[in-house]
């Protein structure tokens, strides 16, 4: 009797927590389909007619920023993967005097909180004439992601079987062939993890692009949505539609690779 | 003399030889080292240098020595920002030690595998929504007129309590912390859940044989065994909380007054709204030292609690 009461209480609590967690997101989706009056009269539930035109209005406003976010995210992932995989390969598998120092040089900057060096970073990028460009948005955050990538990939590469590497060497495989033909194919899981974490970091970044961009031609969607204003005639519906659109790419990525996603979210915290 | 120069020559040749020998390796680590040096170490060093100047980022640059740091000690806004962020840190830690832990316990105690998986996945999905979207959504929820939260209060007969939560000095910081209530969808939930699932079933069975109920199992098995996960949560959330920028920047601009000003936002405002780049750098350096002290203390406390365990 007591046990079933406890189970009931637990069940009710978890459902309640779940509803409170999700309801705001439903309000957002409902709101994105409403006109001004519907939103004021009843924000709580879906009301008809559904105003899908909110989405086309919103899309027109943020299509360029979304494109920009994709460009920055893809360049960011590319640079991060190449730089960290190559460095981690050397540190984990090859011979290089002082490679321990190289390793600690790369990862120890993870201790420095980003905003502490915000101003000098801005000046460096400005002096390189990268202000208000795609590359200017990519580099400083890429440095962080490379540090994390080297940390995660070095651990992974060290775990790869030594005997495969040695037999490859005996067969006359060069270092770069070993990297391309043996290490990379065996490292798909860690490459996926680093790509997803890096991609998330770039897509969601707000502070750095806020500082380093001004024009609509390059600034990303996360900055753009904060600048949208509710239209007097149409209300907040198109605004909410824009928020939903800005979330879709990552939600899609999650739908495709949820396991690597969870791995990616946790790996950074656990290893760092 | 001759011998020395010979040695020098040989040294040089030796270096060139080893560069040649390791050229593939050097080529491979170079991109990472270059990017990190240019965009991290170099700015870090220059920020210390710049903090000794009265500098507007362009034409005015006057050496001030420790002048900026002296001003910082007297700067009330800076003190408010530090005080605010300490409040945020304490609140964040308390929140993340309780709510996600309770949720993880509830989810792992679900017997039906399918239902358990549903809740697990369900609490992960909100993590995937960009944080900025969550912030903007809550801006609407907490707004003054037509704010959902105020409408809710009116609906349940608490209309007297309605206020612009983000725009009122006494509630604005609390409102920012309240964002994402009940604070479950996040990394701590995942970590607790993973930790809970690593605990051997045999332990629970043994406890059941001894007559332990669910609460006793949680208190005597889960809480002690999850201590390393708790430490990870505290360390990680502390770092996150200390850097808070997005919420006050978008929702309140640090106001009303300095009620929601955070160190990161203050650095930004000093540099980009007032063109005080030197002063702004000194804030960064001071905060770096503060972060190092907090990290060190945190690690000490963690170590000591390890010994106690």
């Amino acid at each position: 009797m007591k046990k079933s009461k406890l189970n009931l209480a637990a069940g009710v609590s978890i459902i309640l927590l779940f509803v409170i967690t999700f309801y705001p997101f439903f309000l957002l989706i409902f709101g994105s389909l409403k006109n001004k009056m519907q939103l004021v009269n009843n924000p709580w539930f879906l009301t008809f007619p559904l105003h899908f035109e909110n989405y086309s209005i919103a899309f027109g406003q943020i299509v360029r920023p979304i494109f920009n976010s994709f460009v920055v995210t893809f360049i960011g992932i590319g640079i991060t993967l190449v730089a960290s995989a190559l460095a981690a390969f050397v540190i984990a598998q090859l011979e290089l005097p002082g490679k321990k120092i190289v390793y600690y040089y790369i990862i120890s900057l993870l201790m420095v909180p980003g905003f502490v060096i915000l101003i000098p970073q801005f000046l460096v990028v400005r002096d390189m004439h990268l202000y208000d460009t795609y590359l200017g948005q990519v580099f400083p955050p890429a440095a962080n992601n490379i540090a994390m990538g080297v940390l995660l990939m070095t651990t992974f590469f060290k775990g790869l079987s030594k005997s495969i590497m040695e037999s490859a060497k005996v067969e006359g495989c060069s270092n770069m062939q070993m990297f391309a033909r043996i290490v990379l194919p065996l490292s798909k899981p860690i490459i996926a993890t680093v790509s997803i974490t890096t991609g998330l970091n770039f897509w969601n970044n707000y502070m750095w692009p806020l500082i380093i961009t001004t024009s609509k031609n390059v600034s990303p969607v996360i900055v753009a949505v904060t600048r949208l204003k509710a239209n007097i005639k149409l209300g907040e519906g198109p605004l909410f539609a824009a928020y939903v659109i800005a979330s879709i790419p990552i939600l899609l990525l999650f739908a495709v690779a949820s396991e690597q996603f969870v791995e990616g979210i946790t790996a950074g915290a656990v290893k760092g | 003399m001759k011998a020395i120069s010979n040695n020098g020559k040989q040294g040089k040749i030796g270096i060139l030889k080893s560069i040649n020998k390791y050229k593939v390796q050097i080529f491979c680590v170079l991109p990472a080292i270059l990017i990190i040096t240019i965009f991290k170490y170099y700015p870090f060093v220059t920020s210390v240098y710049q903090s000794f100047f009265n500098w507007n980022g362009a034409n005015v640059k006057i050496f001030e020595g420790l002048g900026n740091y002296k001003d910082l000690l007297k700067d009330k806004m800076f003190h408010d920002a530090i005080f605010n962020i300490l409040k945020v840190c304490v609140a964040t830690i308390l929140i993340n030690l309780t709510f996600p832990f309770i949720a993880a316990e509830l989810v792992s105690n679900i017997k039906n595998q399918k239902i358990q998986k549903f809740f697990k996945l369900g609490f992960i999905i909100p993590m995937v929504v960009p944080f900025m979207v969550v912030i903007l959504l809550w801006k609407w929820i907490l707004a003054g007129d037509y704010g959902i939260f105020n409408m809710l209060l009116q609906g349940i007969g608490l209309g007297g309590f309605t206020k612009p939560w983000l725009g009122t000095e006494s509630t604005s910081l609390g409102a920012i912390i309240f964002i994402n209530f009940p604070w479950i969808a996040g990394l701590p939930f995942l970590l607790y859940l993973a930790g809970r699932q690593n605990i051997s079933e045999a332990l629970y069975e043994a406890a059941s044989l001894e007559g332990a109920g669910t609460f006793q199992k949680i208190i005597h098995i889960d809480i002690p065994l999850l201590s390393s996960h708790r430490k990870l949560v505290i360390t990680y959330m502390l770092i996150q909380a200390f850097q808070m920028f997005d919420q006050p920047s978008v929702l309140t601009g640090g106001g009303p007054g300095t009620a929601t000003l955070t160190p990161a936002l203050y650095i930004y405002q000093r540099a980009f709204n007032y063109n005080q780049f030197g002063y702004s750098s000194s804030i960064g350096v001071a905060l770096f030292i503060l972060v190092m002290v907090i990290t060190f203390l945190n690690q000490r406390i963690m170590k000591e609690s390890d010994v106690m365990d």
Side-chain angles (χ1 to χ4, degrees):
Chain A
M1 190 59 203
K2 206 182 147 208
K3 182 115 198 179
S4 70
K5 251 187 197 166
L6 193 68
N7 277 340
L8 185 71
V12 171
S13 325
I14 192 74
I15 290 170
L16 201 65
L17 287 172
F18 194 75
V19 170
I20 302 174
T21 301
F22 263 89
Y23 193 52
F25 296 103
F26 281 112
L27 288 179
L28 178 70
I29 294 168
F30 297 161
S32 71
L33 294 165
K34 290 176 189 208
N35 68 15
K36 197 179 180 184
M37 279 324 288
Q38 284 172 306
L39 205 53
V40 174
N41 289 336
N42 183 357
W44 307 104
F45 301 103
L46 208 55
T47 51
F48 295 92
L50 301 176
H51 290 270
F52 284 105
E53 72 271 17
N54 286 344
Y55 277 85
S56 57
I57 296 167
F59 190 72
Q61 287 170 334
I62 59 168
V63 59
R64 179 72 204 205
I66 288 217
F67 172 76
N68 297 336
S69 281
F70 271 112
V71 173
V72 170
T73 303
F74 278 119
I75 302 177
I77 293 175
I79 290 179
T80 303
L81 278 184
V82 170
S84 49
L86 286 173
F89 172 60
V90 171
I91 293 164
Q93 295 284 353
L94 300 185
E95 196 192 322
L96 177 69
K99 69 180 186 182
K100 263 228 153 102
I101 299 171
V102 171
Y103 178 66
Y104 285 110
Y105 180 80
I106 292 172
I107 65 162
S108 60
L109 72 84
L110 286 169
M111 308 237 309
V112 184
F115 69 87
V116 167
I117 54 170
L118 197 64
I119 308 308
Q121 266 181 341
F122 166 78
L123 297 165
V124 167
V125 173
R126 189 189 66 178
D127 293 343
M128 293 172 89
H129 303 285
L130 291 176
Y131 181 72
D132 209 22
T133 62
Y134 287 134
L135 281 183
Q137 293 176 68
V138 168
F139 274 118
N144 280 335
N145 287 297
I146 288 170
M148 185 53 83
V150 167
L151 186 76
L152 294 172
M153 286 179 164
T154 303
T155 316
F156 190 91
F157 291 168
K158 272 186 182 159
L160 294 175
S161 143
K162 282 264 185 307
S163 58
I164 301 180
M165 307 290 167
E166 254 138 49
S167 56
K169 241 183 205 165
V170 173
E171 301 270 327
C173 212
S174 79
N175 286 334
M176 288 328 280
Q177 279 171 331
M178 211 156 85
F179 178 68
R181 298 206 186 141
I182 300 171
V183 174
L184 284 188
L186 288 173
S187 306
K188 277 177 194 152
I190 197 71
I191 292 171
T193 302
V194 173
S195 308
I196 286 174
T197 339
T198 307
L200 268 183
N201 288 341
F202 272 102
W203 189 274
N204 289 334
N205 197 352
Y206 170 70
M207 183 162 72
W208 182 250
L210 175 74
I211 289 163
I212 208 68
T213 64
T214 50
S215 73
K216 266 199 165 161
N217 289 334
V218 294
S219 76
V221 68
I222 292 299
V223 173
V225 287
T226 66
R227 292 186 176 148
L228 295 177
K229 294 269 182 303
N231 185 312
I232 291 175
K233 216 172 74 200
L234 299 166
E236 277 148 322
L239 215 59
F240 291 169
Y243 301 166
V244 174
I245 295 173
S247 315
I248 286 174
I250 299 182
L251 283 165
L252 281 180
L253 186 65
F254 176 71
V256 178
S258 61
E259 239 162 76
Q260 282 96 329
F261 216 98
V262 174
E263 175 72 14
I265 297 176
T266 40
V270 178
K271 296 279 159 55
Chain B
M1 261 319 258
K2 223 178 181 182
I4 293 168
S5 70
N6 260 346
N7 266 346
K9 221 177 194 176
Q10 265 174 2
K12 250 184 204 164
I13 292 167
I15 289 171
L16 284 177
K17 259 189 184 160
S18 58
I19 285 179
N20 195 38
K21 186 177 168 197
Y22 296 114
K23 60 175 187 279
V24 175
Q25 284 90 326
I26 292 170
F27 171 79
C28 285
V29 294
L30 214 53
I33 289 185
L34 275 181
I35 292 174
I36 280 165
T37 305
I38 297 170
F39 296 103
K40 282 284 172 175
Y41 283 100
Y42 174 70
F44 186 62
V45 175
T46 54
S47 81
V48 177
Y49 173 75
Q50 281 154 7
S51 72
F52 298 119
F53 289 86
N54 173 5
W55 186 34
N56 67 357
N59 49 359
V60 180
K61 194 165 189 175
I62 306 156
F63 183 73
E64 289 238 313
L66 290 171
N68 284 330
Y69 292 96
K70 281 182 193 150
D71 290 344
L72 208 53
L73 288 175
K74 288 177 284 183
D75 185 346
K76 201 186 159 298
M77 287 181 86
F78 178 64
H79 299 166
D80 288 350
I82 298 278
F83 195 53
N84 288 339
I85 207 67
L86 291 179
K87 281 194 250 182
V88 170
C89 286
V90 171
T92 308
I93 289 174
L94 291 179
I95 285 169
N96 283 295
L97 285 178
T98 50
F99 283 82
F101 176 69
I102 292 168
E105 281 294 343
L106 288 171
V107 170
S108 21
N109 274 314
I110 295 172
K111 294 280 175 309
N112 185 319
Q113 287 294 317
K114 266 189 188 157
I115 299 178
Q116 192 187 53
K117 205 170 174 200
F118 169 80
F119 278 108
K120 240 192 271 178
L121 204 67
F123 280 121
I124 295 171
I125 290 172
M127 276 180 234
V128 181
V129 176
F131 191 49
M132 186 52 72
V133 169
V134 174
I135 294 173
L136 292 166
L137 169 61
W138 280 80
K139 182 185 184 180
W140 172 66
I141 293 174
L142 295 168
D145 22 66
Y146 303 122
I148 284 287
F149 191 65
N150 282 338
M151 282 169 93
L152 184 73
L153 287 179
Q154 266 163 4
I156 57 173
L158 293 172
F161 289 99
T162 61
K163 54 168 73 91
W165 297 93
L166 289 163
T168 309
E169 200 167 341
S170 58
T171 58
S172 52
L173 192 65
I176 283 184
I177 294 168
F178 192 70
I179 285 177
N180 236 345
F181 177 84
W183 311 290
I184 289 166
L187 183 69
F189 172 75
L190 283 178
L191 290 175
Y192 291 134
L193 207 61
R196 176 68 172 64
Q197 269 156 356
N198 280 338
I199 298 175
S200 148
E201 256 329 290
L203 270 179
Y204 295 108
E205 277 159 27
S208 295
L209 286 178
E210 306 243 328
T214 311
F215 279 116
Q216 280 166 321
K217 282 182 204 160
I218 292 175
I219 290 167
H220 295 294
I221 300 177
D222 295 355
I223 292 183
L225 285 183
L226 290 178
S227 76
S228 64
H229 295 81
R230 252 190 329 269
K231 284 169 195 165
L232 197 59
V233 166
I234 292 175
T235 308
Y236 188 78
M237 295 316 284
L238 206 58
I239 296 169
Q240 287 261 305
F242 201 85
Q243 308 200 32
M244 185 190 265
F245 176 85
D246 297 6
Q247 299 93 312
S249 163
V250 173
L251 300 173
T252 60
T258 55
T260 56
L261 190 67
T262 62
L265 184 62
Y266 191 48
I267 288 182
Y268 173 84
Q269 288 180 344
R270 280 284 161 177
F272 298 103
N273 299 356
Y274 301 100
N275 281 329
Q276 294 173 329
F277 283 78
Y279 190 60
S280 194
S281 297
S282 73
I283 303 172
V285 174
L287 285 169
F288 176 70
I289 296 167
L290 190 66
V291 169
M292 286 295 123
V293 171
I294 292 176
T295 313
F296 177 73
L297 286 179
N298 184 33
Q299 237 130 39
R300 276 294 288 275
I301 294 167
M302 300 283 172
K303 270 221 179 100
E304 251 156 58
S305 67
D306 265 348
V307 175
M308 267 161 54
D309 289 347

